[in-house]
Amino acid sequence: MTVSKAAEKSAEKPADTAKGRKDAAEVQGQGAGEALQLGELSEQLGYVLKRAQLKVFENFLRCMASLQLTPAQFSVLLLVEKNPGRNQTEIASTLGILRPNFVAMLDNLESRDLCARIRSTNDRRSHILVLTDKGKAVLARAKKLVATKHEARLNELLGQANREALIAMLAKVVSEF
């Protein structure tokens, strides 16, 4: 029986492909189960800050799951509570939230009856923000959860002195960088 050259070549390819997969698997297998080496990334302050922020936010979201509040929403509610009668532009600017994102967030908070926008009597183009009664109640519960679970976990991890030092150092970066 005669085998054509095309058949011989196609018969060779699966073996070569399988060998290629084996070689790739061997390379991938080196260090399998071991963490990737970060190299200089582990010394980059921006990278470490971002990783820490992600961990802190994950913990915050777990703590706030029952209230369905994000860190940004919690921040907005806190600022509105502490600064009654301020307009939405001031709140968004203080938190560094872009206007379109802030409007969408306010729409969400309003639909949940946590805050309300009221047309300003001083500037009819502007809206002031106020907490609703439900918003005040949710914020009070959120503050307790943050204090007893989220911040308590950070205090446990860092210790009070390190926590205060970290806040001071980060505040310096925010104000002077």
Side-chain angles (χ1 to χ4, degrees):
M1 174 175 235
T2 314
V3 178
S4 72
K5 294 202 185 251
E8 286 177 359
K9 286 185 181 181
S10 67
E12 291 173 5
K13 284 186 182 180
D16 290 343
T17 305
K19 184 180 184 298
R21 274 188 248 138
K22 182 179 176 186
D23 292 344
E26 287 173 3
V27 169
Q28 289 175 355
Q30 294 174 354
E34 295 176 23
L36 289 174
Q37 298 299 311
L38 296 178
E40 293 83 6
L41 265 181
S42 64
E43 298 170 12
Q44 297 292 316
L45 184 57
Y47 175 79
V48 176
L49 282 172
K50 180 64 175 178
R51 297 292 301 178
Q53 180 212 17
L54 291 171
K55 291 291 188 178
V56 169
F57 276 24
E58 286 171 11
N59 182 265
F60 183 94
L61 291 171
R62 276 193 302 277
C63 292
M64 290 291 135
S66 63
L67 299 177
Q68 298 179 339
L69 284 179
T70 66
Q73 291 168 334
F74 178 71
S75 298
V76 168
L77 295 177
L78 274 176
L79 280 185
V80 171
E81 177 193 49
K82 296 294 181 195
N83 302 280
R86 299 304 283 264
N87 70 41
Q88 63 189 54
T89 302
E90 293 172 300
I91 301 290
S93 175
T94 299
L95 294 174
I97 301 173
L98 297 174
R99 182 174 168 79
N101 298 344
F102 192 69
V103 169
M105 185 188 313
L106 284 181
D107 288 345
N108 177 280
L109 292 172
E110 273 191 313
S111 73
R112 294 172 58 195
D113 192 32
L114 300 179
C115 74
R117 287 178 266 209
I118 301 171
R119 189 168 304 276
S120 172
T121 55
N122 299 336
D123 181 357
R124 293 176 34 104
R125 297 168 297 165
S126 178
H127 289 90
I128 61 170
L129 300 175
V130 295
L131 293 180
T132 62
D133 289 340
K134 181 180 177 184
K136 291 173 187 174
V138 167
L139 181 58
R141 288 177 44 211
K143 285 179 176 181
K144 285 181 184 173
L145 286 172
V146 166
T148 60
K149 293 187 179 209
H150 181 64
E151 290 292 325
R153 172 73 177 108
L154 288 166
N155 287 340
E156 177 185 308
L157 180 67
L158 298 173
Q160 188 64 28
N162 286 336
R163 179 186 182 280
E164 290 171 7
L166 180 58
I167 287 174
M169 287 185 279
L170 293 174
K172 183 178 176 96
V173 171
V174 169
S175 67
E176 297 179 24
F177 192 69

